[in-house]
Amino acid sequence: MSVRITGLRAIEGNLRKLAAKEKKVRNKALERAAKEVADQLEINTPSGDDHGGTHMKDDVQISKPNEDGHITVGFGKETSWRVHFVEMGTMKQPPQGFIQQTEEQMQSKVLEIIRTELKRGLGL
């Protein structure tokens, strides 16, 4: 099998084709990347005041990959309803943008983790 690669988009396209064939390898790559994102999100999430409930920082969760190969990193039921107040701000508090910051920090690292895991899992 030969694969001709001419740029970053070609690499991503070819890796997606290979990943579609091997869901187990794909899911392992996604779960590893999601774990890295969750760790960084936990670091970036502000801790806030002690209000007697669960802190967002302690409630970062990862979903299982679905059939389409999507995985979600976010917050649990107990804290998800208030995340947007901190992220986007309110009249009384400025936006903190910690989710957007995490996305920007992790974008290239996630692609690299997925590429590495797919290559390893598919024997390329």
Side-chain angles (χ1 to χ4, degrees), residues 57-71:
K57 193 179 219 39
D58 302 326
D59 199 25
V60 175
Q61 299 181 4
I62 304 169
S63 74
K64 295 288 182 193
N66 68 13
E67 288 294 317
D68 298 326
H70 291 97
I71 193 166

Side-chain angles (χ1 to χ4, degrees), residues 87-117:
E87 176 72 11
M88 306 300 280
T90 66
M91 289 175 48
K92 303 204 182 238
Q93 120 182 357
Q96 296 186 36
F98 64 97
I99 295 173
Q100 183 178 358
Q101 176 188 2
T102 303
E103 288 175 355
E104 290 169 0
Q105 287 174 335
M106 297 303 295
Q107 190 173 26
S108 61
K109 186 171 185 177
V110 164
L111 270 177
E112 187 57 37
I113 290 169
I114 291 172
R115 276 190 208 118
T116 303
E117 288 296 318

Side-chain angles (χ1 to χ4, degrees), residues 22-76:
E22 291 291 336
K23 286 185 179 181
K24 191 173 186 178
V25 173
R26 177 197 67 191
N27 289 348
K28 182 179 177 186
L30 290 173
E31 288 169 350
R32 180 150 183 266
K35 174 73 171 111
E36 292 288 326
V37 171
D39 290 346
Q40 188 63 45
L41 181 60
E42 192 174 316
I43 290 167
N44 290 348
T45 301
S47 51
D49 297 332
D50 187 15
H51 53 75
T54 302
H55 290 280
M56 292 184 306
K57 193 179 219 39
D58 302 326
D59 199 25
V60 175
Q61 299 181 4
I62 304 169
S63 74
K64 295 288 182 193
N66 68 13
E67 288 294 317
D68 298 326
H70 291 97
I71 193 166
T72 303
V73 176
F75 297 91

